[in-house]
Amino acid sequence: MLSMAKINDIKYLKQVQGLSYRKVKTLTGHSYATIKKYEETENFNQTIKKIIRKTKKIDQYKEMVDKWILSDIGKTHKQRHTAKKIFMRLQEKYGDSLNISYRSIAIYVAEKKRELNLDTTEYLKLSHLPGTAQVDFGKLTFKQGGKDVKGSYLVLTLPYSNAGYMQIFRGETTECLLQGLKDIFKHIGGVPREIWFDNLTAAVAFRKNKDRILNESFEKFSAHYKFKPKFCNPASGNEKGNVENKVGYFRRNYFVPIPEIPNIAEYNKHLLRICDKDNERIHYHKNQKICDLLEMETNYLIALNINEYEVAKYERRKVNKYGFVDIDTNKYSVGTKFQLQEVWIKITAHKIFLMDKFKREIASHNRVYSRNKYVNTSWIEHLPLIIKKINSLEYTDFFQELPKIWKEYLLKLQSKDRKKALLVLEKILLNDSLEIATYVLQGLINAELEDPDILLLNYHKYKDNTGPREEIALSSPLPKIDKYETNLEIYNQLIKKKEE
């Protein structure tokens, strides 16, 4: 079809100027038939050609397939119909009379889900440039003191080299995130230029509309180390697929069977060495060692800040009347000496430090990541107050933490004797453990006695039998003494005289 400009030229030359077909042919170069066709055309409205659609095999199954797909709306991703499942259901229903291939079903299902916006996501393909990193947390269980403990492990990967490093923590707080990153930066000798994060609550304070508001500690940390934080779209784990894969890889290879971790901070140093060893593998498609690629990639890292960053949060809190301070739903012992006073607290990933108004350390505790717990160095400093308020004993957390034998014993006593028993317990705890106190109490119970004075006597007896016995060193030899023989006849004579 000619362009509208050329059609207009033909109609103008023929109809307006009245030129002959021969002259128009000479001027335009078009054939007689073409000139005649467009000279006679008067209607230039757009026409839509009707398409005659051929019947397809899928048509007879569409209604049923659509019904199954629509039933998936609102269900979890893992419980939706796949093309394979739909084909299997059709085979079960129609058997040998099914006259459509799996491929045809798969194509139709994909088109229908795209139309309904089911199982479709716009994926952002991240460029694995040298010096960029991805970060995420994984969950794990480890043993501590013979008990199973829940925890998390922070993983940082550099997708270009596929190098990965991990650090274990009891939680996923801001302090855990920053401490883990700081230790990994120091170990690899630099800081990635860009680091991709999920929407971690440890970094993101809250979301306002579509904007992320970062928490102050994370912002200061990123400014200190000069890296640019980037965040994935919600529910878009594919945007940091490298670290997601590494989280699973580390769990399968290094946390099975469940490891025993007496000290997390020391174990984390060991983990960095394990990761160095793991990076000696060949890259999955670059045919080079990961550690060699990482060495090259360090040229793209930001140099470490010469000023060390302190990963800690300082706050002021008031000690309650029982000598505890509230931190993250838990109560940490400060001591009755600081009742109702303000103290400084320093919160780190692993420890809680308690300081007086001059920031001199009063006490320190391991940070507890469970909820609503009392954390004590020892109950010994709280006993004087408990003894003073003896009628409230059974409602105190101290009483609840005592062994059953102590609870039953104390509840049998009157207030006066109960105070005595607690004073004995205090004396024992000043020198020995609660286990020793319980052993001594068990001896009292076995003798069917209750008197707290005898409890104290039993403790002294226990100490006398178990304590060290030192030999007395004499300054000079003892004098030699003759053997003395007792003569009982003298006593017999005295008795006879008394009888007479």
Side-chain angles (χ1 to χ4, degrees):
M1 183 176 176
L2 298 181
S3 67
M4 285 305 302
K6 291 182 178 180
I7 293 172
N8 284 339
D9 286 344
I10 290 172
K11 291 182 74 67
Y12 180 82
L13 292 172
K14 195 76 182 75
Q15 293 180 351
V16 177
Q17 292 190 357
L19 299 181
S20 65
Y21 284 110
R22 184 185 292 246
K23 189 65 176 176
V24 173
K25 180 181 179 183
T26 301
L27 292 172
T28 63
H30 296 302
S31 67
Y32 170 82
T34 300
I35 294 168
K36 188 175 187 329
K37 172 186 174 182
Y38 288 109
E39 180 200 7
E40 295 176 352
T41 302
E42 296 297 336
N43 187 2
F44 288 92
N45 288 311
Q46 184 178 359
T47 58
I48 299 173
K49 187 178 180 181
K50 188 176 181 180
I51 299 173
I52 300 173
R53 188 179 180 280
K54 294 181 179 179
T55 303
K56 294 184 178 180
K57 292 181 180 179
I58 188 65
D59 291 344
Q60 60 183 310
Y61 307 110
K62 271 187 179 181
E63 185 178 351
M64 187 172 297
V65 172
D66 289 354
K67 182 180 177 182
W68 292 338
I69 294 174
L70 288 169
S71 70
D72 287 339
I73 295 176
K75 292 183 179 178
T76 61
H77 177 78
K78 293 183 178 180
Q79 288 184 293
R80 293 178 183 173
H81 282 83
T82 61
K84 185 176 181 181
K85 181 61 178 178
I86 287 173
F87 184 68
M88 289 171 63
R89 290 189 68 176
L90 289 173
Q91 285 181 317
E92 291 172 5
K93 185 172 181 63
Y94 293 99
D96 294 336
S97 64
L98 184 67
N99 63 343
I100 190 170
S101 67
Y102 167 74
R103 179 174 174 78
S104 297
I105 291 292
I107 292 171
Y108 177 74
V109 169
E111 290 175 349
K112 190 67 180 178
K113 286 188 176 183
R114 197 176 300 116
E115 176 187 327
L116 296 170
N117 199 29
L118 284 175
D119 296 347
T120 58
T121 307
E122 298 246 347
Y123 289 108
L124 171 66
K125 181 174 175 59
L126 301 180
S127 299
H128 292 168
L129 300 174
T132 62
Q134 298 176 8
V135 168
D136 203 2
F137 275 106
K139 300 287 187 183
L140 85 156
T141 299
F142 59 92
K143 288 189 178 294
Q144 199 166 59
K147 296 180 179 179
D148 285 354
V149 177
K150 299 291 183 183
S152 299
Y153 58 108
L154 179 75
V155 178
L156 178 142
T157 62
L158 295 128
Y160 175 82
S161 61
N162 198 32
Y165 289 91
M166 58 179 161
Q167 295 283 272
I168 288 178
F169 297 95
R170 285 294 308 276
E172 297 181 11
T173 63
T174 300
E175 293 75 37
C176 296
L177 172 64
L178 303 188
Q179 187 65 53
L181 291 176
K182 174 188 172 180
D183 292 340
I184 292 172
F185 293 164
K186 186 176 181 180
H187 184 75
I188 64 177
V191 181
R193 296 174 180 272
E194 293 181 356
I195 305 180
W196 284 85
F197 298 88
D198 214 334
N199 291 287
L200 298 172
T201 55
V204 180
F206 62 92
R207 290 175 65 89
K208 187 176 182 180
N209 298 325
K210 292 185 178 180
D211 297 326
R212 295 175 182 85
I213 307 299
L214 305 185
N215 73 48
E216 186 179 356
S217 296
F218 182 80
E219 284 191 307
K220 286 182 178 179
F221 183 84
S222 56
H224 182 89
Y225 285 105
K226 303 180 180 68
F227 67 86
K228 183 176 182 180
K230 291 197 170 185
F231 293 89
C232 300
N233 292 311
S236 299
N238 60 288
E239 294 180 4
K240 52 179 182 60
N242 185 267
V243 72
E244 299 246 351
N245 291 334
K246 194 73 77 174
V247 166
Y249 171 82
F250 280 149
R251 183 189 295 112
R252 292 188 299 272
N253 288 275
Y254 297 107
F255 301 140
V256 178
I258 295 174
E260 176 75 36
I261 305 177
N263 184 296
I264 293 177
E266 290 301 316
Y267 192 79
N268 278 341
K269 296 176 184 178
H270 171 65
L271 277 181
L272 293 173
R273 294 190 292 270
I274 285 178
C275 293
D276 282 337
K277 184 69 177 176
D278 185 79
N279 289 334
E280 293 177 6
R281 294 180 295 115
I282 300 296
H283 191 282
Y284 58 92
H285 73 77
K286 292 184 179 178
N287 202 31
Q288 287 180 264
K289 284 187 175 181
I290 292 173
C291 56
D292 292 339
L293 291 167
L294 176 60
E295 185 176 357
M296 184 281 294
E297 192 171 9
T298 55
N299 296 320
Y300 294 84
L301 300 180
I302 301 168
L304 288 169
N305 192 323
I306 58 172
N307 300 301
E308 185 170 353
Y309 188 87
E310 182 184 32
V311 180
K313 179 168 63 176
Y314 287 88
E315 294 180 1
R316 293 190 74 175
R317 298 285 174 85
K318 191 173 183 178
V319 182
N320 67 20
K321 63 182 180 180
Y322 303 109
F324 290 87
V325 65
D326 292 329
I327 305 173
D328 297 333
T329 78
N330 297 311
K331 296 183 185 298
Y332 290 80
S333 171
V334 184
T336 53
K337 179 182 177 181
F338 294 91
Q339 288 172 281
L340 305 178
Q341 295 183 36
E342 277 199 339
V343 295
W344 281 97
I345 58 171
K346 176 182 173 182
I347 303 172
T348 70
H350 303 298
K351 301 279 287 185
I352 298 288
F353 297 91
L354 301 158
M355 298 169 287
D356 64 18
K357 62 182 180 180
F358 302 108
K359 292 190 177 179
R360 296 175 300 198
E361 187 176 321
I362 303 166
S364 65
H365 303 277
N366 289 328
R367 187 172 179 179
V368 174
Y369 283 91
S370 48
R371 297 176 64 82
N372 303 315
K373 298 292 183 183
Y374 278 81
V375 185
N376 304 282
T377 304
S378 169
W379 277 104
I380 188 69
E381 60 193 42
H382 298 277
L383 271 173
L385 180 61
I386 293 170
I387 293 169
K388 188 176 179 181
K389 298 180 179 290
I390 195 65
N391 291 330
S392 302
L393 172 64
E394 60 186 296
Y395 305 107
T396 65
D397 292 282
F398 164 75
F399 182 80
Q400 299 304 322
E401 291 187 15
L402 286 174
K404 184 180 179 183
I405 186 175
W406 271 102
K407 290 180 184 178
E408 292 176 347
Y409 171 65
L410 290 169
L411 289 176
K412 285 180 182 179
L413 302 176
Q414 298 296 320
S415 293
K416 184 179 178 181
D417 285 339
R418 196 178 292 178
K419 282 186 178 182
K420 279 187 177 182
L422 286 178
L423 287 169
V424 174
L425 177 59
E426 181 183 20
K427 183 178 181 64
I428 297 174
L429 293 179
L430 283 169
N431 301 289
D432 288 295
S433 65
L434 182 59
E435 286 74 20
I436 298 299
T438 303
Y439 173 80
V440 172
L441 176 61
Q442 186 64 61
L444 186 74
I445 301 299
N446 292 343
E448 299 182 356
L449 298 171
E450 293 182 357
D451 191 340
D453 290 329
I454 299 177
L455 179 67
L456 181 60
L457 186 65
N458 280 356
Y459 173 63
H460 285 306
K461 183 179 179 182
Y462 167 83
K463 293 295 288 183
D464 288 342
N465 291 333
T466 58
R469 299 178 181 275
E470 297 181 3
E471 292 187 4
I472 300 174
L474 299 175
S475 57
S476 60
L478 290 172
K480 187 175 181 181
I481 300 174
D482 294 333
K483 185 178 179 181
Y484 179 80
E485 293 184 0
T486 303
N487 184 359
L488 298 179
E489 186 59 32
I490 297 174
Y491 293 100
N492 291 333
Q493 292 175 4
L494 290 173
I495 293 171
K496 286 181 181 179
K497 284 182 180 180
K498 188 175 182 180
E499 289 176 351
E500 293 174 356

